[in-house]
Amino acid sequence: MTDIDFRALPLPEVIHILREHGEPEDPRPDIDTASLQRRFPRLAGVETSDVRIDGPQGRAVPARLYRDGSAAASGHALVWVHGGAFIGGHLDMPESNWVALELAARGIPVLAVDYVKCLGDVHFPEPSDDVLAAWRHAVAQAEELFGIPGASVLLGGASAGGNLTAGATARLRDAGEPVPGGLVLVYPVVHPNGPDASADLDPDSPHTALTLNFVGSREAALDPHAFAGLGAADGFPPTLIVVCERDGLRPSGEAFARQLDEAGVDVSLHLEVGADHGHINEPADPTALPTIEAIATWIPPSG
């Protein structure tokens, strides 16, 4: 299973494999927490613990808390959601685990969150519902989890996780609930057609196949809670958007940054030169750490 190139397979076959066999083990020998802490000594003080979150329909939402008691507290915390094209990803992948370790070591406690995958019979809003359940839990238990008030908790994610967190923010706003104190989106896909930053679906594009697998139908692809770039941007919190120079999905993040700016939202657009989509899932990538530094810098100490 570890030697399968999923990018070379049709999406229905990928989904079948993932449903029947689960996600293959990552062959990299140096991305577990112990290896990362040996490789990056600054991470040695980060402690992790599993957090129980009761999600919708009796479904548990996997989550992991990262805190470093020796780091100077920033006064903020982050609920962080990994990517994986809505069909893969987990709490042990570097885009979740390493990113959370690095931020926690900088005084930003992190609750890393997983969500149900769209593997044939699951579509939006189910992954979004999981993210919302985790967000509401984090805010309600902020003092216990992070030692800060709920208003100081931020929300963020990468790729599909960026989509889900942007959409969850729109859902909170439209429901009249408080939105996060800030939003961090790393190479987000917030349009049904990410490469064109539009709702016009190209039937020959693999991105269209992933979009339709996520939402279930062409009509559902127009839902602004599924793709926040299709909806109003007013009412969003201060937002950091990181895009990558070599990423074919870069137009989606850039268009959303313009949309937020035009709506009067405090938005920062960070271009990671030389980077490609998914670069923070590879700790050895020289462009990965600068992105984490950009996130930490954007989340300034309180007061």
Side-chain angles (χ1 to χ4, degrees):
M1 286 291 293
T2 58
D3 58 354
I4 294 176
D5 184 359
F6 284 98
R7 294 168 298 181
L9 298 177
L11 182 59
E13 188 172 344
V14 173
I15 290 174
H16 174 75
I17 292 172
L18 293 174
R19 284 186 60 143
E20 294 299 315
H21 303 286
E23 196 156 350
E25 183 177 350
D26 195 310
R28 292 174 288 180
D30 57 354
I31 60 167
D32 61 285
T33 297
S35 295
L36 290 169
Q37 289 178 326
R38 286 193 298 269
R39 188 170 164 191
F40 305 112
R42 62 181 172 271
L43 308 181
V46 179
E47 297 182 351
T48 66
S49 58
D50 292 335
V51 176
R52 176 179 174 81
I53 298 176
D54 295 324
Q57 302 174 11
R59 183 172 61 237
V61 179
R64 185 180 298 158
L65 178 64
Y66 297 73
R67 296 185 65 167
D68 186 342
S70 65
S74 69
H76 295 283
L78 178 68
V79 175
W80 178 250
V81 184
H82 66 77
F86 307 106
I87 61 174
H90 47 78
L91 295 179
D92 291 323
M93 65 190 294
E95 192 176 78
S96 183
N97 186 48
W98 179 58
V99 171
L101 287 167
E102 289 282 2
L103 292 175
R106 290 162 172 78
I108 305 164
V110 176
L111 183 69
V113 175
D114 201 356
Y115 48 90
V116 67
K117 306 305 186 297
C118 297
L119 297 177
D121 56 350
V122 172
H123 305 289
F124 179 84
E126 291 186 58
S128 178
D129 290 343
D130 284 0
V131 170
L132 276 177
W135 168 254
R136 289 169 176 143
H137 177 92
V139 171
Q141 305 296 325
E143 292 285 357
E144 177 185 347
L145 292 171
F146 312 119
I148 61 172
S152 297
V153 182
L154 290 71
L155 179 62
S159 192
N163 167 290
L164 293 171
T165 51
T169 299
R171 293 180 69 183
L172 290 166
R173 176 201 61 193
D174 294 344
E177 296 183 53
V179 298
L183 185 62
V184 177
L185 306 177
V186 179
Y187 39 77
V189 187
V190 291
H191 298 84
N193 182 332
D196 288 344
S198 76
D200 299 325
L201 295 177
D202 176 0
D204 298 321
S205 168
H207 300 292
T208 293
L210 287 169
T211 287
L212 294 178
N213 180 68
F214 169 46
V215 295
S217 70
R218 287 181 173 269
E219 294 74 21
L222 301 178
D223 187 338
H225 289 164
F227 290 98
L230 302 183
D234 58 290
F236 265 66
T239 300
L240 169 67
I241 299 179
V242 177
V243 296
C244 302
E245 182 182 22
R246 300 177 179 175
D247 184 7
L249 296 168
R250 172 180 167 184
S252 184
E254 291 180 329
F256 196 48
R258 291 192 297 270
Q259 186 178 349
L260 291 169
D261 183 61
E262 291 168 0
V265 175
D266 180 3
V267 58
S268 297
L269 179 65
H270 175 84
L271 171 65
E272 201 61 75
V273 176
D276 203 345
H277 196 88
H279 70 290
I280 59 172
N281 197 43
E282 178 46 76
D285 189 318
T287 65
L289 195 56
T291 290
I292 292 175
E293 294 284 6
I295 295 171
T297 299
W298 184 80
I299 303 174
S302 294

